[in-house]
Amino acid sequence: MVIPRLKEKFKGPISETVKTQFKVTNVMALPRLEKIVLSAGLGNQLDGTKLNPKAKDQVLKDLALIAGQRPIMTRAKKSVANFKVRQGYETGCLVTVRGNAMWELLDRLVSLAIPRIKDFRGLNPKSFDGRGNYSFGVTEQGIFPEINMAEVEFSHGLHVTVVFRNSDDDKSMAMLKELGMPFSQGDDLAQQRR
């Protein structure tokens, strides 16, 4: 079995760097990458009370190609009249990737997909949740090389969450920077907000 490239890098030099930078003495107290969650909402494809079946199939197919495993449909927990959603309606889909597949997905994300974003100035370094997990959104599924945009009927975005264990925001930021995640600098953030 071949060990993914980023997993070897994570267990070797990156762990040592974080261990010295944050003065972690116990190896078991080091942050660990637990899972990557990809999710896509279908709110704009809801037609009255029904979900457009072509949109549902397209999103399920795209997420399966990107993640390499079958996604599940998520259902509304509450009824919200303003959004024309009732409790139990299918509103999106989600896939959780763990293990070696997670490392391969992160490698493709960092080295192939993110550089293909148009007018890319870096990811927002403030998108951590306080527990060390990092989330960002992608506006189009076409940045992933697995998706053939000639066969796509409509474009949709998706949400990517990188979940860490034993971590905080600073440790996760250091780990992701070492793994090659392209964060924007301070002056780039000011330009993005304008």
Side-chain angles (χ1 to χ4, degrees):
M1 180 180 194
V2 178
I3 298 173
R5 180 180 70 95
L6 282 184
K7 186 176 183 179
E8 281 183 12
K9 192 175 173 185
F10 186 79
K11 287 190 172 191
I14 294 175
S15 293
E16 291 300 319
T17 303
V18 170
K19 192 189 285 189
T20 56
Q21 182 179 353
F22 293 98
K23 297 179 178 85
V24 178
T25 55
N26 187 353
V27 178
M28 296 306 288
L30 280 172
R32 288 198 168 80
L33 190 58
E34 187 175 353
K35 61 187 174 182
I36 296 177
V37 180
L38 302 173
S39 61
L42 295 169
N44 59 348
Q45 295 301 318
L46 289 172
D47 181 28
T49 59
K50 293 187 285 184
L51 182 65
N52 181 355
K54 288 184 181 180
K56 176 182 169 182
D57 293 341
Q58 175 76 50
V59 174
L60 286 172
K61 179 183 164 195
D62 289 346
L63 278 181
L65 282 173
I66 293 167
Q69 62 191 46
R70 190 171 152 231
I72 61 167
M73 291 300 295
T74 56
R75 297 181 179 275
K77 293 180 183 178
K78 290 184 187 179
S79 297
V80 181
N82 289 341
F83 298 131
K84 297 179 183 175
V85 174
R86 290 195 181 162
Q87 183 177 359
Y89 282 176
E90 294 177 331
T91 57
C93 58
L94 130 94
V95 63
T96 302
V97 186
R98 300 174 195 267
N100 285 343
M102 169 193 65
W103 289 104
E104 295 293 339
L105 175 63
L106 183 63
D107 197 6
R108 284 194 323 266
L109 189 67
V110 168
S111 48
L112 295 175
I114 292 176
R116 294 175 67 174
I117 296 175
K118 295 174 186 166
D119 298 329
F120 182 67
R121 293 191 178 115
L123 296 172
N124 188 350
K126 295 182 179 180
S127 294
F128 287 93
D129 67 350
R131 295 185 181 107
N133 305 320
Y134 184 71
S135 300
F136 64 96
V138 176
T139 57
E140 184 180 274
Q141 79 272 30
I143 66 166
F144 291 94
E146 298 89 0
I147 305 296
N148 183 1
M149 287 304 283
E151 298 173 359
V152 170
E153 292 184 28
F154 73 96
S155 74
H156 62 84
L158 56 112
H159 190 79
V160 180
T161 303
V162 182
V163 180
F164 282 90
R165 191 173 21 153
N166 296 339
S167 191
D168 59 20
D169 292 351
D170 296 331
K171 290 177 188 170
S172 295
M173 172 80 123
M175 289 276 202
L176 288 173
K177 276 185 179 178
E178 292 290 325
L179 287 169
M181 194 72 81
F183 291 107
S184 62
Q185 303 301 323
D187 51 329
D188 291 340
L189 277 176
Q191 290 177 354
Q192 285 179 354
R193 290 183 184 146
R194 287 183 194 162

